[in-house]
Amino acid sequence: MPNLETDSKLVTDEYKYGFETLIQSDALPKGLNEDTIRAISAKKNEPQWMTDWRLKAYRRWQKMKEPRWADVTYPPIDYQDICYYSAPKRDGANAEAIDEEMARTFERLGVPLHERNALAGVAVDAVFDSVSVATTQKEKLAEMGVIFCSITEAIHQHPELVQKYLSSVVPVGDNFFAALNSAVFTDGSFVYVPKGLRCPIELSTYFRINAVDTGQFERTLIIADEGSYVSYIEGCTAPSRDRNQLHAAVVELIALEGAEIKYSTVQNWYAGDDEGRGGIYNFVTKRGHCRGRKSKISWTQVEVGSAITWKYPSVILEGDHSVGEFYSVAFTNKKMQADTGTKMIHVGANTRSTIVSKGISAGHSRNSYRGLVQILPSAANARNHTQCDSMLIGSTCSANTYPVIECENETAITEHEATTSKISEEQMFYIMSRGIDEESATSLVVNGFCRDVFKELPMEFSVEAIKLLEIKLEHSVG
Amino acid sequence: MSDADIKIVNLHARCEEKAILKGVNLTINQGEVHALMGPNGSGKSTLSNVIMGHPSYEVTEGEIWIKGQNIVEMEPDERARLGIFLAFQYPVAIPGVTVAKFLKSSTDATLGEKKKSATEFLKELRENMKFLEMNEAFLNRFLNDGFSGGEKKRMEILQMLMLKPCFAVMDETDSGLDIDALQVVSKGVNKLTGPEFSLLVITHYERILKHIKPDHLHVLIDGKIVMTGGPELVKELEEKGYDWIRQEFGQEVLV
């Protein structure tokens, strides 16, 4: 078996997902031009309409400027120094060995891909660098009429759905990173839940960046047809490397009349080392569209990784009586920078939105909440409640909030509450006086602070999130 | 003196630049209940905070011996694990952390190897809550968050019952309690008193000392214990106040 090592190495103890899978990959050379896009499209054997769509996006992107308004600083990104396509190489003889190695990598990340080990009640799509490597529980889902597959497969198998909904929520030219993603996206998940079905299985995608200097540009599209319900979970990790890597995803959610989509994320990309070297640039556009009456979209995110996060999962509340929710915990440490929040655009009458944001900064990090609540003239009786809390650990970090409320209908009611606090000496003393050590005491206070968000996560995921935050906090005290 | 006794020797402590304790000497033999009284600002709460290891107070001189160890350099959690407990005068709220979760974490931390299963723990917790006439709904409330004064004090005693310390300091636990609550709190404390448990009750009022009977009473004025007596001293203080002690001890103890 030439050129294939099956050993992985652990780069750092602190970030236990920091190992690299040594595997031969089939990659395009670095750089971006129309040929790169044609090559990606060709590798995926895409129909002409898809190639054209990508090229249009690329031409659009070329005319756009990288946004720099966020409260983050980083050196210029050389878009010609990035590899836009990398896939585990599978050629006849070693295909099976590769599949095993992939499965082992995901097992190690806590994501079982073999059907025999699969978690009951959860279906997983695993994305490794640029491609989806496995989707579990497909048959069971198919019986119910649920389509859950990689976006690549959807382009081939369900072109009518993809053509109808792709970029219908995040237009190609929405922003610089969305345009880039549209041009070069390689894989991601596709979900369609048929009318009236309450999907009993949690759908989950696990994203893993492995290759060096490779960007991950995933594209996720979820459609909940009338009266349906789906809960979708995504998790992300990457090896610890001393160079930055770009992750620019686009996620679009569409909820038709009476449908509900619950989207949960635990983002734990590599965040860089103590000096701020390396880590993922996480520049993501996530948007949901409550298209029908009484539809509901709920975003819950636990953001504990990435060197830089630029992410605003939003909801367009078009259907009357539709509901949008955003629950967020963003933890930054070391030299991490996060600029995250949401947009709630109220278009329909009697639309309601809730925003609960908890930012925790430690180390030398910078953590900003940026939010927009927009009530359009048509949104009679719209309501929004925003709760935006920041907590500081230590004295070298910072927290900022940039909330904007634009209200153009006088029957609307918006409420905004915000707090900034330090973990108080009195709280720490009180907890420690009960025998609990400093680290555990900090973690107790922080978990209490995040409770309103954690309780929105699916049960097992919530336990994971709490554990993850505890691990992250271990190195932030003292 | 046995290792089980508590011995405070020539204790000096300050907060920021202000000296507050100026040579406290106090020995509590194992199993004894001591009361500490004194006017406002005499250093009573400082003494309780220093015993527990509050980071804002600096011990500049002296020792505190418990179980054969001088604890002045220990962290608060180490002291708690040694068996020291402080019932706070003003317990702080920990939003988002339920009473059940907090008590499980603290009992697990203090009991170490001997920690109980969740079932045993809950059984014991429920019994103690019943004993303190607390509603079970407390278990899912956030610790001290929105609690009334009386509820907070009961919660302190509940924690004391669960952690079973060998030495407890009660910092004005009786302040602001009505008669019924005072009785419940006292009942809880008396459940623990015995040969294995030493107690220091800090108070302004004699009434709690009718429920929790001290073996000895000390008067703290200007950072020093200036008078020590038996239970009979309680009545004298209640009637005459502190001025006569100040006069007796002259200029030296005037605040």
Side-chain angles (χ1 to χ4, degrees), chain A residues 121-127 132 134-135 141 146-151 187-193 199-207 218-224 229-236 247 249-254 260-266 286 296-302 311 456-458 461:
Chain A
V122 183
V124 180
D125 182 26
V127 177
S132 169
T135 309
L141 289 164
V146 176
I147 304 169
F148 179 40
C149 61
S150 70
I151 191 98
D187 225 328
S189 297
F190 176 84
V191 177
Y192 171 80
V193 189
C199 183
I201 297 177
E202 306 257 7
L203 306 184
S204 164
T205 300
Y206 198 94
F207 294 100
E218 93 251 7
R219 187 95 194 183
T220 293
L221 180 58
I222 300 178
I223 303 135
Y229 165 84
V230 65
S231 167
Y232 179 92
I233 302 167
E234 74 172 349
C236 348
H247 171 255
V250 173
V251 175
E252 296 175 280
L253 312 182
I254 295 121
E260 179 179 349
I261 301 173
K262 188 172 170 56
Y263 193 106
S264 315
T265 306
V266 169
K286 289 185 167 177
K296 178 176 175 183
I297 288 177
S298 181
W299 297 102
T300 305
Q301 60 171 20
V302 177
K311 180 181 172 189
E456 295 297 326
L457 289 169
F461 218 43

Side-chain angles (χ1 to χ4, degrees), chain B residues 132-148:
Chain B
L132 294 175
E133 296 166 32
M134 296 169 83
N135 190 313
E136 271 205 24
F138 263 92
L139 287 177
N140 293 316
R141 287 179 66 183
F142 300 144
L143 187 68
N144 297 325
D145 199 13
F147 283 24
S148 71

Side-chain angles (χ1 to χ4, degrees), chain A residues 425-426 430 432 434-435, chain B residues 54 56 77 81 86 156 159:
Chain A
E425 192 174 63
E426 294 305 321
Y430 186 85
M432 288 173 74
R434 300 310 187 231
Chain B
H54 194 295
S56 298
D77 54 314
R81 292 197 292 270
L86 171 62
E156 293 296 290
Q159 293 181 49

Side-chain angles (χ1 to χ4, degrees), chain A residues 424-438 441 443-452 466 470, chain B residues 49 52-56 76-77 80-81 85-86 88 92-93 95-97 101-102 106 109-110 142 144 156 159:
Chain A
S424 80
E425 192 174 63
E426 294 305 321
Q427 278 180 324
M428 290 298 288
F429 176 56
Y430 186 85
I431 298 172
M432 288 173 74
S433 80
R434 300 310 187 231
I436 297 167
D437 63 45
E438 191 177 3
S443 145
L444 206 59
V445 174
V446 170
N447 273 319
F449 177 73
C450 299
R451 187 184 177 91
D452 289 346
I466 289 169
E470 266 166 24
Chain B
N49 278 318
M52 201 69 238
H54 194 295
S56 298
D77 54 314
R81 292 197 292 270
F85 183 88
L86 171 62
F88 282 70
V92 294
V97 178
K101 162 87 179 157
F102 184 74
S106 58
T110 42
F142 300 144
N144 297 325
E156 293 296 290
Q159 293 181 49

Side-chain angles (χ1 to χ4, degrees), chain A residues 276-447:
Chain A
R277 278 185 302 250
I280 302 289
Y281 289 167
N282 191 32
F283 300 147
V284 171
T285 306
K286 289 185 167 177
R287 196 173 299 155
H289 189 177
C290 282
R291 213 163 275 190
R293 270 174 70 84
K294 295 193 174 173
S295 54
K296 178 176 175 183
I297 288 177
S298 181
W299 297 102
T300 305
Q301 60 171 20
V302 177
E303 302 280 315
V304 298
S306 296
I308 299 176
T309 300
W310 179 96
K311 180 181 172 189
Y312 317 90
S314 305
V315 185
I316 299 164
L317 296 147
E318 186 184 353
D320 292 347
H321 298 277
S322 60
V323 176
E325 293 174 338
F326 174 74
Y327 299 97
S328 169
V329 164
F331 172 79
T332 54
N333 196 4
K334 300 176 183 170
K335 296 204 166 166
M336 289 162 68
Q337 306 173 62
D339 192 304
T340 182
T342 185
K343 286 190 274 188
M344 291 290 172
I345 315 293
H346 291 256
V347 185
N350 301 301
T351 46
R352 283 181 291 134
S353 63
T354 303
I355 298 170
V356 178
S357 163
K358 306 277 179 176
I360 304 135
S361 349
H364 292 268
S365 68
R366 195 163 359 146
N367 198 327
S368 303
Y369 167 80
R370 191 181 299 279
L372 170 67
V373 174
Q374 192 173 29
I375 315 271
L376 297 179
S378 52
N381 303 312
R383 300 202 61 153
N384 164 266
H385 180 81
T386 300
Q387 174 76 46
C388 181
D389 301 319
S390 312
M391 181 178 271
L392 303 168
I393 300 174
S395 52
T396 50
C397 55
S398 69
N400 301 292
T401 53
Y402 305 100
V404 174
I405 299 174
E406 289 172 7
C407 185
E408 296 176 71
N409 186 307
E410 59 185 18
T411 61
I413 300 171
T414 62
E415 298 162 324
H416 183 94
E417 289 178 51
T419 65
T420 301
S421 57
K422 277 191 122 173
I423 294 188
S424 80
E425 192 174 63
E426 294 305 321
Q427 278 180 324
M428 290 298 288
F429 176 56
Y430 186 85
I431 298 172
M432 288 173 74
S433 80
R434 300 310 187 231
I436 297 167
D437 63 45
E438 191 177 3
E439 258 179 29
S440 310
T442 308
S443 145
L444 206 59
V445 174
V446 170
N447 273 319

